[in-house]
Amino acid sequence: MSASNIDTYFGDLPDPRDGDNISHPLINIITITLCAVICGADSWVDVEMFGQAKQSWLSQFLDLRHGIPSHDTIGRFFRCLDPDEFAARFREWASHICERIAGEVVAVDGKQLRRSKDGALGKAGIYMVNVWATENGLSLAQQKVENHSNEITAIPELLRLLDMEGQIITIDAIGCQTDIVELITAQQADYVIAAKDNQGTLRADIEAAFETEVAQQTADSHRMIGKAHGRVEIRECWATDAPDIIAYINDYKTWDGLQSIVKLRSERHFSQTGRVEQNTRYFISSLPANAKHLLATVRAHWQVENSLHWVLDMAFREDESRVRKDHAPENLAAIRQFALNLLKRETSLKVGISAKRKRAGWDDTYLAQLLCSI
């Protein structure tokens, strides 16, 4: 067992600490923190306590002649560490372990770190844009939304850093922007993007288009019914690529590569209460008007919520984290996603992420197995 794999990706990180009197090497702090977060640590105090408890084991592959860094030392390090440099190393590692799958749905969505908000200092909560590879089940990248900005500016910055050729990029309505669409097509990727009222009359135009005789005669359709959690779910999808309709949409505002428009209607029947929920959504896409494929693509997008955001909140307690100062929240968020990817990749245990974190904390052999997969 060694730290060589971690050192491969993170060993050349610029050290934010000045001076010659540095007792704890950068790779020690990153490795101890990553191991601690894998095993259930949620704060810098937790990380220090983990290091103290596992010092003998850690000393097998780390130079711990100066012992375990204190929680203050760890916290100061991550407060000062350049988050862009750290994120770049994470992206490089994630791209290395991610299997290239043609036509994979890559979901882009934002998440707020709720407790990163500090009302006393007038600091708003940090908002991160995340990228999730749905078939690989891995986090590929994240980008902080800068203060006084929003996802519209963060999404293009993030997409420029990724190789998306041959992938299908899905984004909620915030990403329904012509420059984002152009960026996706320029990288020879496809898109399925939600259209809502944030884009002028686009949603209304698509809704009206599906009421025309042309759309009703030409639209491809697909319907599926499923049962889950005490409810029956009916999903219906219509897609059309009729030239006259696409030309009309493009006349309104040019959408690069636009090939089809999509209507998706979902209906939920709750057996216990008899309540019925209905929802209709509209999308623009560079894909052909294949309703079955487009419905599956839209459904795959929600993995970023269920497999990433929900797991970060429930298994890693991300929304409860009170790490707030400087770059620390952003860097700790990257550590969590690093840990999540390692736990997701490990398939020998057929249990949830929370249980895997506990096992890693109890079983040094299992933790070493996770680290060896870096």
Side-chain angles (χ1 to χ4, degrees):
M1 178 63 206
S2 72
S4 59
N5 290 344
I6 298 177
D7 191 65
T8 298
Y9 293 100
F10 298 95
D12 65 343
L13 266 175
D15 197 322
R17 299 168 295 176
D18 295 325
D20 298 325
N21 189 27
I22 296 176
S23 300
H24 304 286
L26 174 148
I27 198 63
N28 284 15
I29 296 177
I30 290 177
T31 302
I32 293 170
T33 302
L34 175 61
C35 290
V37 170
I38 288 173
C39 295
D42 298 319
S43 69
W44 305 134
V45 172
D46 290 349
V47 173
E48 179 187 356
M49 292 175 62
F50 168 86
Q52 292 170 346
K54 297 286 188 178
Q55 185 167 350
S56 177
W57 181 79
L58 291 165
S59 65
Q60 297 177 63
F61 53 92
L62 293 177
D63 178 3
L64 297 178
R65 70 184 71 180
H66 295 293
I68 300 298
S70 70
H71 63 274
D72 285 333
T73 297
I74 297 167
R76 282 194 301 268
F77 173 82
F78 283 106
R79 283 171 58 187
C80 299
L81 180 64
D82 186 333
D84 292 332
E85 291 282 358
F86 194 45
R89 303 314 193 279
F90 174 81
R91 287 194 304 273
E92 181 185 358
W93 170 72
S95 67
H96 176 74
I97 65 170
C98 188
E99 179 186 356
R100 194 75 178 183
I101 302 174
E104 180 175 20
V105 176
V106 176
V108 181
D109 198 29
K111 180 184 185 298
Q112 187 181 45
L113 311 184
R114 297 189 184 279
R115 289 297 180 93
S116 62
K117 180 178 180 180
D118 193 332
L121 297 177
K123 180 182 177 182
I126 290 176
Y127 211 87
M128 306 293 292
V129 175
N130 297 312
V131 181
W132 181 256
T134 59
E135 290 189 54
N136 277 275
L138 294 172
S139 171
L140 298 182
Q142 60 177 348
Q143 176 79 30
K144 177 185 174 183
V145 177
E146 294 299 330
N147 294 335
H148 310 297
S149 181
N150 58 35
E151 290 177 67
I152 294 175
T153 57
I155 291 173
E157 293 176 8
L158 187 53
L159 294 181
R160 289 188 185 96
L161 300 172
L162 300 172
D163 177 10
M164 302 180 296
E165 183 178 353
Q167 311 301 296
I168 302 171
I169 312 303
T170 59
I171 316 176
D172 200 4
I174 193 71
C176 194
Q177 307 290 328
T178 54
D179 60 335
I180 292 177
V181 167
E182 289 171 2
L183 179 60
I184 293 171
T185 56
Q187 296 198 37
Q188 299 182 28
D190 284 298
Y191 62 84
V192 178
I193 302 179
K196 295 182 180 178
D197 294 335
N198 66 314
Q199 234 339 308
T201 63
L202 177 62
R203 183 190 183 282
D205 289 342
I206 298 175
E207 184 176 2
F210 277 102
E211 298 300 321
T212 65
E213 184 176 350
V214 173
Q216 292 176 4
Q217 291 178 349
T218 63
D220 186 47
S221 63
H222 182 71
R223 186 172 188 260
M224 61 181 300
I225 301 175
K227 295 181 179 180
H229 308 294
R231 63 177 182 259
V232 175
E233 299 187 11
I234 303 171
R235 298 181 181 89
E236 295 178 282
C237 181
W238 298 266
T240 181
D241 54 8
D244 290 347
I245 291 178
I246 300 304
Y248 175 71
I249 299 296
N250 265 321
D251 283 344
Y252 157 69
K253 181 176 282 190
T254 301
W255 298 97
D256 194 40
L258 178 64
Q259 189 171 178
S260 62
I261 58 173
V262 184
K263 175 182 178 180
L264 195 156
R265 184 167 63 204
S266 59
E267 192 173 284
R268 293 181 177 181
H269 296 257
F270 296 84
S271 56
Q272 291 186 339
T273 64
R275 181 166 55 93
V276 177
E277 292 180 353
Q278 294 181 324
N279 183 34
T280 302
R281 291 171 288 161
Y282 298 92
F283 302 83
I284 58 173
S285 178
S286 61
L287 295 171
N290 182 323
K292 183 178 181 178
H293 183 216
L294 287 162
L295 176 57
T297 299
V298 172
R299 290 197 68 195
H301 173 82
W302 293 107
Q303 284 191 35
V304 71
E305 291 286 351
N306 300 328
S307 299
L308 179 61
H309 296 169
W310 188 85
V311 173
L312 288 172
D313 284 341
M314 300 305 295
F316 288 85
R317 320 307 297 179
E318 183 168 77
D319 270 357
E320 298 177 16
S321 175
R322 293 183 177 273
V323 174
R324 296 171 175 168
K325 293 184 178 180
D326 303 320
H327 299 310
E330 196 174 345
N331 286 321
L332 182 54
I335 288 282
R336 290 191 198 99
Q337 296 203 21
F338 196 168
L340 176 60
N341 277 358
L342 289 173
L343 292 163
K344 285 276 190 181
R345 292 186 75 207
E346 202 294 303
T347 58
S348 67
L349 291 181
K350 306 303 180 183
V351 295
I353 296 298
S354 291
K356 286 184 177 182
R357 292 184 84 192
K358 291 176 181 177
R359 175 64 178 268
W362 297 332
D363 184 346
D364 292 344
T365 301
Y366 182 66
L367 178 57
Q369 180 181 332
L370 292 170
L371 294 183
C372 286
S373 67
I374 294 175

